[in-house]
Amino acid sequence: MLNWWLPENVSTYGADIDGLFHLVYWITMAAWVLVQVTMIAFLVMYRNRPGRRATYTHGNNGLEIMWTIIPALIVVWLGFRSVETWNKIKIDLPESEHVIEVTAKQFNWEMLYPGPDGEFDTDDDKMIENDLRVPVNKPIILNLKSKDVIHSFFVPQLRMKQDVMPGRTIRSWFEATKAGTYEIPCAELCGFGHSGMLGYLTVLEQADYDAWLAEQWPAAQAQAPENDEVDPEGGRIG
Amino acid sequence: MTAHAPTADAHAHAEHHDLGFVRTYLFSTDHKMIGRQFLFMSLFMMIIGGGLALMIRWQLAWPETQIPLTRWIPEPMMYDGFMPPEFYNAAVTMHATIMVFFVVMPLLVGCFGNFLIPLMIGAGDMAFPLLNMLSFWVSVPAGIMMVGSFWVEGGAAAAGWTGYAPLSTVPEYTGVGMGQNLWALSLIVLGASSLMGAVNYITTIINMRAPGMTWFRMPLVVWSLFITAILLLLALPVLTAGLGLMLFDRMAGTSFFLPAGGGEPLLWQHIFWFFGHPEVYIMILPAMGIASEIMPVFARKPIFGYHAMVFSIISIAFLSWIVWGHHMFQSGMNFTLGTSFMITTMVIAVPSAIKTFNWLGTLWGGNIHFKVPMLWALGFISTFVVGGLSGIYMANTPIDIFIHDTYFIVAHIHYVLFGGSIFAMFGAVTFWFPKMFGRMMNPTMGQIHFWGTFIFYNIGFFPMHIIGVGGHMRRIYNPTQYEFLEPMQWWNVFITRGVLIMGAFQLVFAINLFYSLYFGKKADRNPWQSNTLEWECPSPPGHGNFETPVTVHRGPYEYSSPEVEEDFLPQTRDLSGATGGSH
């Protein structure tokens, strides 16, 4: 019921993040209502009236223990409940044959494809600026690098964000579940051109992806023509 | 547990020494005057910081249009009222830097720390009055350097208030030269000012409490300022060290933060946030103390759970040292380490929850008077709770993947620092104004200011959560460059209108402040019928504070005590049968 504010989710792990988001939403909403309603009720009930005298009390240890332990249990439970999702997204990367090297620089994303041989630093590597194309329903590994300052690779619909750190290669992954074109804004202030530093992720149906590969690496496709079901209409959604 | 020290006896006659204008108003060693100096300096800086905020908001709502009233700002900052992206980044950086270091810290710690600590523990002045004066006067050149950096070649710092390396350490990356150096130098100098203050507060509180003022008879605001001073003492040198490395990288050719030279950009983030997270509590603990001070007075009831309040302050301070990594979940820091920081961060929510429930407990069964300071204290709790709860989203590592660096964090920090610290500051000004200046503030203008600010604050800042959840990045110059943000642009307009109206209501406060300084109703010693020691002094207190040395007989929150007929029982009043303690 809250999807009117989270963007559409198109990644496999996005649903896990959204699930946690909704869980935290309801917990915090309950706490917020509890505090505000109690406060307003007390303000009305115990407002100053002639002849009234406040209750003289310094507190209640039972209550203190209760409102220490209950919030502590809730937040610590919440913490441990989130570990699995975090590990799944950031630590336990799946195996993938689709590895793309993304290098950020002021103020563009360089997408380096390994080409048909699947290896980087070979002649068939190809760099395309700001244009990331991947097949749908396949895990994709990104090797994130930066040439200058810190940038942050963000695709809202994938629920994916990872800072890009000069001097490091950070491995990150996603699996898109829906074909379409999505924006890749930079989410970390990176200089005067930060706003508008924008790449595009195009998620293609397998057939369209193969067609695109054939278009980019015609020689390789000529040697190994294995896809004959190219759909010219495509599944692209703008 | 008690500490006995000479308090006011040296000045028991409380005569006003004639020190002349310069020694009284400029180079004063009197903690009360230094407190007032910090007040006016911070309010002045707030005008600059607030003006920048309004310009930022205008740009976000109506990108690249002419911003009203800004045509006087010269090129290359603004171009006839149009804001270029370079200046936008500088405005974002300087708004935050000024508000954090030159408004919230000097207001809560510099102004109220100075003014309240000696008065509330029954001391004649700070332990080191000259150091105290120096603390203020060192902060002035820091402020001049910071604001002046707008006019140097290349403009002011534009790498964000967090100054992430290497954007901040290589001039070519931002085009900012001397501005970033001045930013670092200014904060180093200001850090020295804060250290002098911190040493003074700690020494004064440990050594100069009046007879009978045991640790657990201290008002909570003094407790919070004491713990804050310890945090300042330990956290600021870390920032200073980091800023030093930044300056070396920029000016001496080192590469502490530059991978090309074997450096490490993450090092800056670790240093900055190791300082930065205690810093967050430096800005909120005094605000919590202020709310804890105001609420019992206007609920006419002892604070609920005094000891729990003290221990939660101490545990927040302790935990604040082991949560810094939650700013860095997406930074590329070891991902397993992220989990550890998530758990500690979750735990730090608990003492804040304890404090909130104790404030509610204080209201329960009270006899609540809705005076202006009380409205601010209640407003503080109401908005601080939102800021506290929104923190849980970011503490949660998977959720943080999505909302990190979006407007959700902007909403969060403003709920904590504006709805939290600044609301508490307004409460403190309206509450202690009679003691500071000997006159009452106008309550009608106070009510208008509170309601206007409270309502339009929420209208302006709450929707930032919503656009943040929509994915709206922070620190972007022009949201209309992004297709996915298009459906949310009307929120930006809505937010800006709310913030502009809220800004306009601050004029009411300014008018009330200056009107009341000269024409306010004369205040008697204890206009709120409060228990703590500062209300024993004349309004305003003379040099040396107390006319006769004070002895403390009880805790600070004995309201509606069955021992006496009236509903307050000052800390100094002796009920043992002998002659009454004081007035």
Side-chain angles (χ1 to χ4, degrees):
Chain A
M1 70 169 286
L2 294 160
N3 289 339
W4 67 274
W5 61 351
L6 281 166
E8 183 192 10
N9 166 45
V10 299
S11 84
T12 48
Y13 55 64
D16 297 337
I17 292 179
D18 290 1
L20 280 170
F21 181 89
H22 290 139
L23 176 69
V24 173
Y25 177 82
W26 290 115
I27 291 173
T28 52
M29 200 46 99
W32 182 74
V33 169
L34 175 81
V35 170
Q36 304 286 354
V37 169
T38 310
M39 187 166 121
I40 291 168
F42 285 176
L43 294 181
V44 174
M45 286 158 68
Y46 304 114
R47 67 189 182 279
N48 168 246
R49 273 162 293 173
R52 208 192 132 73
R53 194 177 173 93
T55 313
Y56 179 75
T57 170
H58 285 92
N60 180 314
N61 286 338
L63 281 173
E64 299 290 345
I65 291 167
M66 185 193 80
W67 62 49
T68 305
I69 289 179
I70 292 176
L73 289 177
I74 293 174
V75 291
V76 171
W77 169 77
L78 196 59
F80 282 105
R81 199 189 172 290
S82 312
V83 174
E84 196 192 330
T85 307
W86 175 251
N87 290 352
K88 175 177 163 186
I89 299 172
K90 295 284 187 182
I91 299 175
D92 305 324
L93 274 63
E95 293 289 314
S96 171
E97 55 193 272
H98 301 279
V99 181
I100 300 159
E101 194 172 289
V102 178
T103 304
K105 62 176 185 188
Q106 289 180 327
F107 300 97
N108 282 298
W109 302 101
E110 292 180 353
M111 316 297 183
L112 183 70
Y113 299 85
D117 65 356
E119 308 247 332
F120 288 103
D121 299 321
T122 52
D123 289 342
D124 63 349
D125 290 5
K126 190 162 189 174
M127 194 277 280
I128 308 175
E129 267 197 0
N130 296 324
D131 188 2
L132 180 61
R133 296 197 184 222
V134 299
V136 72
N137 295 326
K138 291 274 163 63
I140 313 292
I141 303 263
L142 300 181
N143 288 334
L144 298 166
K145 295 180 170 185
S146 169
K147 280 187 176 169
D148 38 49
V149 300
I150 301 172
H151 301 269
S152 188
F153 186 94
F154 181 32
V155 183
Q157 291 87 345
L158 292 178
R159 308 290 186 270
M160 178 185 176
K161 186 182 288 122
Q162 178 58 55
D163 284 7
V164 182
M165 196 50 67
R168 291 189 183 205
T169 302
I170 299 173
R171 279 166 71 80
S172 207
W173 78 283
F174 66 89
E175 182 178 331
T177 55
K178 189 178 167 188
T181 300
Y182 310 98
E183 287 165 295
I184 312 171
C186 173
E188 183 71 64
L189 179 64
C190 61
F192 65 87
H194 165 59
S195 186
M197 174 169 170
L198 192 57
Y200 292 90
L201 164 70
T202 306
V203 179
L204 297 166
E205 297 292 348
Q206 187 63 47
D208 297 323
Y209 181 69
D210 293 335
W212 179 76
L213 285 181
E215 194 182 301
Q216 297 293 325
W217 286 274
Q221 289 299 314
Q223 286 163 9
E226 54 188 53
N227 297 294
D228 48 3
E229 43 185 291
V230 176
D231 174 14
E233 295 298 316
R236 291 191 208 172
I237 298 164
Chain B
M1 289 297 281
T2 54
H4 300 276
T7 53
D9 34 10
H11 296 285
H13 42 86
E15 266 170 32
H16 210 55
H17 300 269
D18 195 5
L19 291 166
F21 179 83
V22 171
R23 289 293 309 280
T24 309
Y25 295 105
L26 292 179
F27 298 104
S28 172
T29 55
D30 185 319
H31 71 101
K32 300 179 293 296
M33 185 53 70
I34 296 166
R36 293 181 196 114
Q37 288 172 328
F38 271 116
L39 176 69
F40 287 107
M41 184 193 78
S42 321
L43 291 176
F44 172 75
M45 294 299 270
M46 200 182 201
I47 297 170
I48 300 174
L52 288 169
L54 297 180
M55 289 166 70
I56 292 165
R57 277 315 319 170
W58 187 282
Q59 164 66 22
L60 288 171
W62 303 287
E64 297 173 62
T65 58
Q66 199 177 39
I67 303 174
L69 308 176
T70 61
R71 292 178 64 181
W72 60 274
I73 301 176
E75 294 176 14
M77 287 188 246
M78 298 284 284
Y79 293 87
D80 194 33
F82 290 88
M83 188 192 278
E86 291 85 349
F87 187 71
Y88 179 83
N89 287 351
V92 166
T93 304
M94 296 297 275
H95 161 69
T97 306
I98 288 173
M99 288 302 197
V100 166
F101 292 98
F102 291 94
V103 177
V104 175
M105 283 174 74
L107 271 174
L108 293 180
V109 183
C111 165
F112 289 103
N114 252 307
F115 189 81
L116 295 177
I117 288 172
L119 283 171
M120 294 185 94
I121 63 170
D125 205 321
M126 284 286 178
F128 310 116
L130 194 67
L131 192 69
N132 206 15
M133 177 181 90
L134 199 60
S135 165
F136 174 75
W137 281 106
V138 164
S139 75
V140 173
I144 292 171
M145 268 194 270
M146 188 59 79
V147 177
S149 71
F150 274 115
W151 281 272
V152 300
E153 200 183 330
W161 84 278
T162 49
Y164 275 14
L167 186 65
S168 60
T169 54
V170 179
E172 291 73 36
Y173 289 151
T174 51
V176 177
M178 197 35 114
Q180 187 76 38
N181 300 345
L182 283 171
W183 181 85
L185 278 171
S186 165
L187 292 183
I188 289 174
V189 173
L190 190 71
S193 157
S194 291
L195 283 187
M196 290 184 235
V199 169
N200 223 338
Y201 295 177
I202 294 169
T203 314
T204 306
I205 292 171
I206 291 177
N207 291 314
M208 294 177 69
R209 282 169 289 130
M213 180 61 88
T214 60
W215 284 101
F216 288 108
R217 283 179 181 170
M218 281 201 322
L220 287 170
V221 73
V222 178
W223 261 112
S224 69
L225 287 163
F226 178 62
I227 301 294
T228 301
I230 295 172
L231 291 180
L232 276 170
L233 190 68
L234 299 175
L236 274 166
V238 180
L239 176 68
T240 304
L243 292 166
L245 298 181
M246 176 189 279
L247 284 175
F248 285 142
D249 267 15
R250 289 182 66 84
M251 305 177 81
T254 59
S255 45
F256 289 104
F257 305 122
L258 207 58
E264 174 55 70
L266 264 189
L267 174 63
W268 168 263
Q269 294 185 29
H270 281 294
I271 293 174
F272 184 83
W273 290 117
F274 187 77
F275 146 79
H277 211 80
E279 166 71 12
V280 170
Y281 291 99
I282 286 167
M283 294 190 283
I284 200 66
L285 287 178
M288 290 171 157
I290 286 164
S292 305
E293 219 52 55
I294 292 173
M295 294 195 53
V297 175
F298 295 97
R300 311 308 291 163
K301 192 167 168 282
I303 192 91
F304 201 87
Y306 173 90
H307 286 83
M309 290 300 234
V310 172
F311 292 127
S312 56
I313 295 174
I314 295 171
S315 46
I316 286 175
F318 175 76
L319 288 167
S320 76
W321 295 101
I322 51 170
V323 296
W324 82 90
H326 68 216
H327 297 270
M328 301 167 60
F329 289 151
Q330 314 312 328
S331 68
M333 174 183 77
N334 179 295
F335 293 117
T336 309
L337 192 55
T339 300
S340 324
F341 279 116
M342 165 169 65
I343 302 298
T344 55
T345 304
M346 288 287 180
V347 172
I348 206 171
V350 176
S352 295
I354 295 171
K355 296 193 83 72
T356 305
F357 291 127
N358 277 309
W359 288 320
L360 293 180
T362 306
L363 294 175
W364 173 81
N367 181 24
I368 301 165
H369 297 255
F370 295 98
K371 298 278 173 55
V372 177
M374 184 62 162
L375 293 178
W376 285 112
L378 296 169
F380 162 83
I381 294 165
S382 191
T383 47
F384 176 74
V385 167
V386 176
L389 290 171
S390 65
I392 296 176
Y393 293 74
M394 265 106 44
N396 189 294
T397 45
I399 301 176
D400 185 68
I401 295 172
F402 180 61
I403 58 178
H404 182 76
D405 272 330
T406 66
Y407 259 79
F408 199 88
I409 184 75
V410 178
H412 169 73
I413 197 170
H414 285 92
Y415 264 84
V416 178
L417 277 190
F418 195 132
S421 306
I422 299 284
F423 277 22
M425 179 280 290
F426 282 132
V429 170
T430 48
F431 184 64
W432 280 293
F433 190 89
K435 191 54 63 185
M436 288 184 114
F437 300 105
R439 291 176 187 273
M440 305 297 287
M441 286 185 90
N442 180 300
T444 311
M445 280 197 268
Q447 293 263 356
I448 294 169
H449 175 232
F450 169 76
W451 287 109
T453 306
F454 183 76
I455 291 168
F456 288 98
Y457 166 80
N458 282 296
I459 288 176
F461 287 90
F462 194 82
M464 289 184 187
H465 293 103
I466 298 173
I467 60 172
V469 170
H472 195 306
M473 293 79 70
R474 69 194 288 208
R475 292 169 169 172
I476 52 169
Y477 165 69
N478 183 350
T480 61
Q481 289 168 315
Y482 302 88
E483 220 171 286
F484 81 102
L485 295 181
E486 216 165 281
M488 280 180 275
Q489 184 55 21
W490 71 275
W491 275 120
N492 270 324
V493 175
F494 183 89
I495 289 168
T496 298
R497 291 205 170 113
V499 172
L500 285 172
I501 299 172
M502 186 196 76
F505 271 100
Q506 304 318 304
L507 293 175
V508 181
F509 176 75
I511 294 166
N512 193 2
L513 187 78
F514 286 103
Y515 170 84
S516 305
L517 268 182
Y518 296 103
F519 308 107
K521 200 178 89 187
K522 286 261 187 211
D524 59 20
R525 274 169 199 264
N526 192 358
W528 313 115
Q529 302 194 310
S530 177
N531 285 345
T532 41
L533 299 185
E534 76 273 30
W535 306 102
E536 302 292 324
C537 307
S539 296
H543 193 60
N545 296 343
F546 296 91
E547 293 145 314
T548 53
V550 287
T551 306
V552 175
H553 295 280
R554 62 186 61 75
Y557 305 116
E558 294 299 302
Y559 294 97
S560 303
S561 161
E563 287 186 82
V564 286
E565 203 176 314
E566 58 273 28
D567 64 357
F568 68 115
L569 180 54
Q571 285 187 281
T572 51
R573 192 152 149 211
D574 187 359
L575 289 177
S576 62
T579 49
S582 67
H583 326 284

